[in-house]
Amino acid sequence: CLEHSDRAAEALTILRDRARIEPRDAKVLLRLGQMLRRQKKADEAIVFIDQALLLDDQDPSTHLEMGMTLIDLARMHEAEAPLRTAVRLARDWHTARLSLAVLLARLRRWDEAEPLFRQLRKKQPFNLQVLGNLAQVLLEQKRFGEVCELVEPELEKAPDDVGLRMALLNAHQGVRRSSEAVEMARAWTEDQPDSAPAWGALARALSGLHDPEADAAAARLLEIEPESAATFETMGLVAMGLGRYPEALDWFDKGLTLAPEAQSLRVNRAFALQEIGSPEGESLTALQKVVEAEPESPAARMNLALTLLRVGKFQRGWTEYEARDSAVRGQSALVLSQPRAAPRPDLSGAVVSVRCEQGMGDTIQFLRYVPRIAADCREVLLCIQDSLAWMAFGLAPNLRVFGYRDPLPHADHSIALLSLPGWYGTDADSIPCKVPYLRPDPDRIRYWRARLGSEGFRIGITWHTNPLHGNVRRWIPLSLLAQLSVLPGVRLISLQKHHGLDQIEALHPSQRVEVLGAEFDEGPNAFADTAAVIENLDLVISIDTSTAHLAGALGRPVWTMLPFNSDWRWLLDREDSPWYPSLRLFRQTTPGDWETVATALQQRLEKVLSGDSPVIWPTTETAGTW
């Protein structure tokens, strides 16, 4: 009664006195341990619970409490045994089974957690806690369609359940149905105009699309719930989504004053620091602290990995990068049927399945490892995006190529494509960089050679990406790039297929950009025509997108324009790339400053046209010329 009356200190004193009077009463020791754990004193609680177990090891409540206390102490793997004992001693005890299922989910053992949740759901079909946990397990496995089928009918019965709404929103965003996610969040705000979670969901969904309307939704959230760490975190996420990183940092700092142990706030703060300035300084330190505090956090480890790789600390970077299978979302995210073997096993005589993942640029960049692993094993089963399958044929004689939906034969080992650098201990000096390792169809090359003609200095350009991919800061206005067309003899040829083409019509009459027509890359094979066109160009100038990777993999000259805080693979303060010998980098010196980049491009191109510089110039004294 005292504890329930907010007089916990008095309650604790009474229990301590009772434990001293009756030191061999297991129930008293258990009650004392329970109360200490509720008061966030798990390290002291475990002593009394352990004593209770020594006196009575047949009480399922004591085993359950031991498991929960070990979880509070972040000793997750140790917690499994007492929770399983509690389930064994009380087979129909819902709380024990649910606690075990939640633990297995936190340990990312989905194949064990899922059936437990489904069994619990059969017995208690209206238990929203079980339903929400099951939905989360499916989300973690990227089974977004199943989440929608599971949650949508139940949400009609429980429209006020925040967890179910968030699960459905995450499922929509997982399959990149961002517009549906926005509409669902907007409908939620209309149903519940004073709901802070609803406005927070809308603000985050809009910021994911970099929509300025996110500010208005965030402002409404702040009005409803002005002194909340969750509100401050959402405000920061919106600021980041709209490219205002210093402002985002301020919001995350405010959130941490209210919730100093909140890991998501710490992760996001470190990410904002990373976007603002030097990742070698405060950002790296902040991320390392986050991972030390919560080593099971995939998002924290993923961000730490990207920072480590960016500063060239490859060995630890590849290790931490393995967390991406839980951190990366979307249909191309990684789901392996079996974990990667570490360290690399003896592959001689083995069949190894390799699964491509994430974006097309990632696949293009890391296909270079397929010949290497093929040389080490009997056969490679490569599972690749259907539209990129043409790139893989010819990489190795003992390679079989499968689409994402194709059933795979048995393999002795499975690995994700982007895990191969870590498997081989890749550092900046051992990157396989022999180019070209991709080769276009010769017939297409001849066709486009005739179409393009040989007149002028032919430059293929890309300036835009799919807005749904969230790469807004990588875009450069076409008008800045198109000014290169006024240089004598220069022909600018658009390599864009869909997005950003409307900017061509808005160009000044003096600026000319050629388009390749509706037939360009119209077939099912992505980049098949792009690759053939690139083979017939003198130069490619591209933002950080798949086209830059393709040109580099083909060994063709490519100048890549990077935002101020660029992707990890381009490292820091370099104008070349160890991944692609034929690539040179043009970096923003301040966030959003594409004018300086465009000026540097023009100055270098003028030197190339006058014969004062090769198209790929040496970046070291020992480097050769292109």
Side-chain angles (χ1 to χ4, degrees):
C1 288
L2 286 169
E3 186 183 27
H4 287 242
S5 302
D6 294 327
R7 295 164 63 183
E10 296 175 64
L12 200 55
T13 298
I14 291 174
L15 270 180
R16 287 187 192 278
D17 289 342
R18 180 67 181 271
R20 278 193 290 269
I21 295 168
E22 299 185 62
R24 298 189 61 78
D25 188 326
K27 291 190 180 299
V28 170
L29 295 172
L30 172 60
R31 286 285 184 90
L32 180 54
Q34 290 172 326
M35 188 174 291
L36 285 166
R37 186 173 75 84
R38 286 196 291 268
Q39 294 184 34
K40 311 299 182 186
K41 298 176 181 178
D43 52 348
E44 188 179 356
I46 199 167
V47 175
F48 293 101
I49 298 167
D50 193 45
Q51 291 174 12
L53 278 174
L54 289 173
L55 294 167
D56 180 4
D57 65 355
Q58 295 302 304
D59 184 351
S61 299
T62 312
H63 289 282
L64 174 64
E65 196 64 27
M66 174 60 81
M68 302 305 292
T69 305
L70 287 167
I71 290 172
D72 289 349
L73 292 169
R75 293 160 60 180
M76 310 290 285
H77 294 279
E78 296 176 61
E80 181 180 355
L83 290 181
R84 286 196 181 279
T85 302
V87 170
R88 177 175 58 80
L89 292 172
R91 293 190 177 277
D92 294 326
W93 192 14
H94 172 92
T95 303
R97 284 184 173 274
L98 179 59
S99 299
L100 176 60
V102 170
L103 173 67
L104 293 170
R106 290 184 66 178
L107 292 173
R108 301 179 53 251
R109 287 158 58 182
W110 318 125
D111 57 336
E112 297 174 68
E114 183 182 340
L116 274 176
F117 284 126
R118 291 195 182 278
Q119 290 167 15
L120 289 164
R121 182 160 160 71
K122 282 184 179 179
K123 293 190 175 183
Q124 297 189 9
F126 303 109
N127 189 312
L128 297 181
Q129 184 183 12
V130 172
L131 176 61
N133 276 289
L134 176 57
Q136 189 59 40
V137 165
L138 296 175
L139 282 172
E140 293 290 350
Q141 297 175 82
K142 288 81 177 175
R143 291 157 61 182
F144 302 115
E146 292 180 54
V147 175
C148 293
E149 292 177 8
L150 177 71
V151 171
E152 281 179 338
E154 300 302 326
L155 194 55
E156 294 178 4
K157 304 172 190 174
D160 295 333
D161 190 275
V162 173
L164 292 184
R165 284 188 182 269
M166 292 307 303
L168 188 55
L169 276 166
N170 288 332
H172 282 309
Q173 291 173 326
V175 291
R176 296 198 183 279
R177 294 205 294 257
S178 300
S179 298
E180 289 91 332
V182 168
E183 290 310 309
M184 179 182 168
R186 202 184 300 280
W188 188 3
T189 62
E190 292 170 357
D191 292 343
Q192 301 176 22
D194 296 322
S195 167
W199 286 102
L202 179 58
R204 290 190 295 273
L206 287 167
S207 70
L209 292 173
H210 310 283
D211 190 327
E213 285 188 36
D215 275 331
R220 175 63 178 139
L221 168 64
L222 188 62
E223 181 182 330
I224 297 170
E225 202 168 71
E227 293 298 327
S228 159
T231 295
F232 293 151
E233 183 169 17
T234 297
M235 300 297 292
L237 291 172
V238 167
M240 280 209 300
L242 298 175
R244 305 194 303 263
Y245 296 102
E247 178 190 333
L249 184 61
D250 290 340
W251 284 115
F252 296 142
D253 283 338
K254 286 182 179 180
L256 285 167
T257 60
L258 296 178
E261 301 303 318
Q263 291 297 91
S264 60
L265 275 166
R266 290 182 175 189
V267 171
N268 286 319
R269 182 182 185 276
F271 183 75
L273 282 168
Q274 182 177 291
E275 296 298 303
I276 289 169
S278 171
E280 292 180 281
E282 192 179 353
S283 173
L284 183 56
T285 302
L287 281 168
Q288 286 173 330
K289 288 181 178 179
V290 170
V291 172
E292 288 169 6
E294 192 173 339
E296 301 289 339
S297 168
R301 291 185 58 205
M302 174 76 166
N303 279 303
L304 176 59
L306 297 180
T307 302
L308 289 165
L309 292 170
R310 183 182 299 175
V311 300
K313 297 181 179 181
F314 279 32
Q315 295 307 312
R316 187 182 174 195
W318 297 128
T319 299
E320 299 294 348
Y321 196 52
E322 290 303 299
R324 72 191 182 283
D325 61 340
S326 286
V328 174
R329 299 289 183 182
Q331 290 173 303
S332 297
L334 170 62
V335 179
L336 285 178
S337 58
Q338 61 188 97
R340 172 177 70 96
R344 179 166 54 95
D346 179 10
L347 299 179
S348 55
V351 176
V352 181
S353 68
V354 178
R355 190 185 194 279
C356 299
E357 52 175 303
Q358 301 185 55
M360 291 185 176
D362 298 281
T363 295
I364 294 168
Q365 179 180 358
F366 291 95
L367 280 176
R368 69 185 71 221
Y369 282 91
V370 172
R372 180 165 184 177
I373 194 171
D376 291 342
C377 66
R378 176 163 61 89
E379 186 176 45
V380 173
L381 313 175
L382 181 68
C383 185
I384 191 171
Q385 297 97 322
D386 293 35
S387 60
L388 297 185
W390 70 270
M391 294 184 182
F393 294 109
L395 284 174
N398 56 336
L399 171 69
R400 293 169 65 188
V401 180
F402 299 84
Y404 272 179
R405 293 179 295 275
D406 297 333
L408 290 180
H410 169 76
D412 301 301
H413 303 285
S414 294
I415 190 167
L417 183 66
L418 271 67
S419 290
L420 288 173
W423 219 2
Y424 284 107
T426 301
D427 58 28
D429 298 321
S430 62
I431 292 172
C433 58
K434 183 180 179 181
V435 295
Y437 56 87
L438 300 182
R439 291 171 178 80
D441 174 23
D443 291 336
R444 288 180 188 260
I445 295 174
R446 286 191 289 270
Y447 172 81
W448 285 106
R449 182 182 301 140
R451 280 280 310 271
L452 292 168
S454 58
E455 300 81 12
F457 191 86
R458 298 157 299 175
I459 303 175
I461 59 172
T462 59
W463 62 92
H464 209 278
T465 61
N466 186 339
L468 293 180
H469 293 169
N471 295 328
V472 174
R473 63 179 179 175
R474 299 184 187 183
W475 301 348
I476 183 173
L478 177 59
S479 57
L480 288 176
L481 205 54
Q483 66 191 25
L484 300 177
S485 69
V486 303
L487 297 177
V490 168
R491 292 171 57 192
L492 296 185
I493 300 165
S494 168
L495 299 179
Q496 300 278 155
K497 176 61 182 175
H498 299 291
H499 307 286
L501 294 175
D502 56 315
Q503 296 183 41
I504 295 177
E505 299 176 1
L507 291 175
H508 189 274
S510 64
Q511 298 174 329
R512 301 178 305 280
V513 174
E514 301 174 34
V515 294
L516 298 175
E519 65 177 307
F520 175 65
D521 267 335
E522 186 62 23
N525 295 327
F527 300 113
D529 285 326
T530 301
V533 169
I534 288 173
E535 288 286 354
N536 290 290
L537 297 175
D538 300 291
L539 174 65
V540 172
I541 298 179
S542 173
I543 59 172
D544 179 8
T545 189
S546 306
T547 303
H549 289 284
L550 179 60
L554 294 170
R556 300 298 300 157
V558 51
W559 296 357
T560 301
M561 303 168 287
L562 299 179
F564 175 70
N565 194 51
S566 57
D567 195 59
W568 67 266
R569 68 202 77 216
W570 307 120
L571 302 172
L572 295 173
D573 304 322
R574 295 181 65 143
E575 62 181 20
D576 68 337
S577 167
W579 296 97
Y580 301 112
S582 66
L583 182 144
R584 292 295 177 264
L585 300 169
F586 292 77
R587 299 175 181 269
Q588 285 183 351
T589 54
T590 56
D593 180 16
W594 285 119
E595 288 82 0
T596 302
V597 172
T599 299
L601 284 168
Q602 182 165 337
Q603 291 173 348
R604 176 60 66 172
L605 184 56
E606 287 172 347
K607 290 182 179 180
V608 171
L609 295 172
S610 66
D612 292 335
S613 171
V615 69
I616 298 298
W617 60 95
T619 57
T620 67
E621 293 181 3
T622 58
T625 58
W626 183 259

